[in-house]
Amino acid sequence: MTREEYLKIVNEKGYVDGNGDAASFMDLAAYEAQIVLMDINNKFHTQSELQDLLSKLTKEEIDKGVKLFPPLYVDFGQNLHLGKNVFINSGCCFQDQGGIYIGDNTLIGHQVVFATINHDVNPNKRASMTFKPIRVGKNVWIGAHSTILPGVTIGDGAIIGAGAVVNKDVPADTIVVGVPAKVIKEID
């Protein structure tokens, strides 16, 4: 299976049988990602070197304004899409099999988790997975230790307070906090 075939299944069906070819492709891609992540996380690199390693991980050209403070944890790598001037602080986790799209000038705090997968609720099919992409707009600030759940869209200019669990869409130019995250303020 190719990356394009896998992405077509995820984008069109949103479901992968835990015993099928797509799941096997996910496993192989995860091993490839682990090799790159070992390099990122276990020795010093300049930002330019980290951008090159992120390009290798994502199979996409990474903007020279992207900044990363390792360590970084990525399950898959090939469905993570970073805009221009994105900052990723240390300890972030990207479960990107379902697609994670980060807009330009977004700031991501320490140990933020992006989760695009849920397992089948049927115990006999628990290894099977459903996918929903996460989309983050431009100029977003995501506070430390936040968790962004499958299918969430975060509007341009929004702020996610530290420790928030975001389980539904966040309007543009708002501040959300809490578990589950709720709007507490609009940004002027």
Side-chain angles (χ1 to χ4, degrees), residues 15-28:
Y15 184 85
V16 166
D17 181 323
N19 298 311
D21 290 341
S24 295
F25 176 80
M26 287 171 53
D27 289 343
L28 291 173

Side-chain angles (χ1 to χ4, degrees), residues 97-110:
Q97 290 92 332
I100 299 172
Y101 303 84
I102 308 292
D104 297 347
N105 306 308
T106 290
L107 307 174
I108 303 171
H110 291 89

Side-chain angles (χ1 to χ4, degrees), residues 46-63:
T46 66
Q47 286 300 315
S48 179
E49 291 168 336
L50 288 169
Q51 293 155 358
D52 291 343
L53 287 164
L54 285 170
S55 289
K56 186 175 180 181
L57 177 70
T58 63
K59 312 278 192 239
E60 295 181 356
E61 188 65 30
I62 297 297
D63 177 72

Side-chain angles (χ1 to χ4, degrees), residues 3 6-7 33 36-37 40 53-62 66 68 72-83 86 88 92-103 108 113-116 133-136:
R3 175 183 185 221
Y6 169 81
L7 294 176
V36 177
L37 291 167
I40 289 172
L53 287 164
L54 285 170
S55 289
K56 186 175 180 181
L57 177 70
T58 63
K59 312 278 192 239
E60 295 181 356
E61 188 65 30
I62 297 297
V66 169
L68 168 65
L72 174 69
Y73 305 98
V74 180
D75 286 1
F76 184 68
Q78 298 184 39
N79 208 1
L80 174 59
H81 313 277
L82 302 174
V86 170
I88 303 169
C92 290
C93 299
F94 293 88
Q95 185 191 51
D96 67 302
Q97 290 92 332
I100 299 172
Y101 303 84
I102 308 292
I108 303 171
V113 173
F114 294 86
T116 64
I134 293 171
R135 299 181 189 284
V136 177

Side-chain angles (χ1 to χ4, degrees), residues 175-186:
I175 300 172
V176 300
V177 299
V179 180
K182 293 184 180 1
V183 175
I184 61 163
K185 184 176 181 179
E186 292 185 14

Side-chain angles (χ1 to χ4, degrees), residues 115-126:
T116 64
I117 300 175
N118 276 312
H119 287 276
D120 199 309
V121 295
N122 180 336
N124 297 321
K125 296 181 179 182
R126 191 63 41 90

